[in-house]
Amino acid sequence: MINSLQANLQKLRASAPLVHNITNFVVMNFTANALLAVGASPVMAHATEEVEDMVSIADALVVNIGTLSLQWVEGMKLAMKKAAQLGKPIILDPVGAGATPYRNSVLAELLETASPTIIRGNGSEILALAGASVQTKGVDSTADSTDSIGAARVLSKRFGAVVSVSGAVDVIVHGSRIGWVSNGVPLMTKVTGMGCSASALAGAFAAVCPDPFEAAVSAAATMGVCGELAFRNAKLPGSFQIAFLDTLSEISPAHLQELSKIRLE
């Protein structure tokens, strides 16, 4: 798998895939910068009048429900339907799943529209998406990633999707396959947009890697290794955010080979 991580990073930078993001106001700038730093090309487009055309020229679609409105939801559904028709990877980030009935109903609509290639969220979001009764704290997780493995398996079976659960140890599930990525630092939870950027990176890797499980592991490992490297020089949230983007730009296949902590079952 380590060799695959290196090859996937090289392919990403060689092809600079166009990643279409329908994401939230809070993280839009940081997500775009993260994609640019790693070597992808971001576009943020949510208008119903153009999402189908944008999906048609993009290499992957990332749908993030962090800040919802009726028009954005319609754009998400149109984009997901078009991406499914064209066979393009769809990454769904169910931000705040379980927090409100409206958020849950939107997710149900999106999942009826098209099955995602990768579902990426925190433990609470994955549990809520699978139908478990979860006490949430806004968009923050109250459950550990390892607590949601059963829910991840349920979702993977139901939608045929890879389910990537972030936490102190990231857990990636696809059918009977499971991967554990033990990279990262606690400070990453203190910077808004880290999880959303992880979903965007999953889209970038899915655009160049035909195996979505491998793409999800690649994204999780890249995020975690970059977090560890950035933390060597930045110990507070503001400086860490900048250091993280710089590290995404500088990270090499050799870094992934040396520092990735991955276990597969």
Side-chain angles (χ1 to χ4, degrees):
M1 176 61 81
I2 298 298
N3 290 336
S4 296
L5 297 186
Q6 295 174 275
N8 289 337
L9 180 60
Q10 290 171 326
K11 285 191 289 185
L12 193 162
R13 287 178 169 160
S15 60
L18 179 62
V19 182
H20 178 189
N21 299 264
I22 303 179
T23 190
N24 68 76
F25 288 119
V26 180
V27 306
M28 203 174 288
N29 178 266
F30 184 60
T31 299
N33 280 326
L35 284 168
L36 283 170
V38 80
S41 179
V43 61
M44 275 57 183
H46 55 265
T48 56
E49 293 83 359
E50 70 167 352
V51 289
E52 292 173 299
D53 292 329
M54 196 65 75
V55 167
S56 297
I57 62 172
D59 297 296
L61 171 67
V62 178
V63 173
N64 175 309
I65 70 160
T67 50
L68 290 171
S69 71
L70 285 174
Q71 285 94 348
W72 279 37
V73 172
E74 288 307 307
M76 291 173 181
K77 290 193 288 188
L78 287 171
M80 288 179 69
K81 183 177 180 180
K82 187 68 172 181
Q85 290 173 349
L86 296 173
K88 298 191 177 185
I90 302 169
I91 288 73
L92 176 64
D93 190 332
V95 178
T100 66
Y102 176 62
R103 198 162 288 261
N104 293 341
S105 68
V106 166
L107 284 167
E109 289 180 36
L110 295 178
L111 290 168
E112 287 177 6
T113 300
S115 292
T117 310
I118 299 172
I119 300 171
R120 201 224 61 82
N122 62 42
S124 293
E125 291 162 350
I126 298 305
L127 283 163
L129 198 61
S133 179
V134 181
Q135 183 178 3
T136 64
K137 187 180 179 183
V139 300
D140 294 328
S141 182
T142 58
D144 189 81
S145 57
T146 55
D147 297 330
S148 60
I149 293 175
R153 290 193 187 280
V154 168
L155 291 172
S156 182
K157 182 177 181 180
R158 185 181 302 166
F159 299 106
V162 173
V163 181
S164 180
V165 192
S166 60
V169 176
D170 293 337
V171 181
I172 298 94
V173 173
H174 191 205
S176 61
R177 304 165 76 186
I178 185 165
W180 312 77
V181 179
S182 301
N183 294 103
V185 293
L187 188 57
M188 295 174 78
T189 65
K190 303 300 181 182
V191 177
T192 297
M194 280 291 170
C196 301
S197 294
S199 296
L201 259 64
F205 279 104
V208 301
C209 178
D211 181 350
F213 177 81
E214 190 177 296
V217 172
S218 297
T222 300
M223 287 288 299
V225 170
C226 282
E228 292 175 359
L229 291 171
F231 189 69
R232 293 178 181 179
N233 300 310
K235 307 297 185 183
L236 295 173
S239 57
F240 180 80
Q241 183 182 51
I242 301 303
F244 180 82
L245 289 175
D246 289 344
T247 305
L248 264 180
S249 180
E250 293 180 338
I251 191 170
S252 68
H255 286 128
L256 292 177
Q257 181 180 29
E258 177 187 356
L259 298 173
S260 294
K261 302 168 189 172
I262 299 170
R263 178 166 59 92
L264 302 177
E265 292 182 8

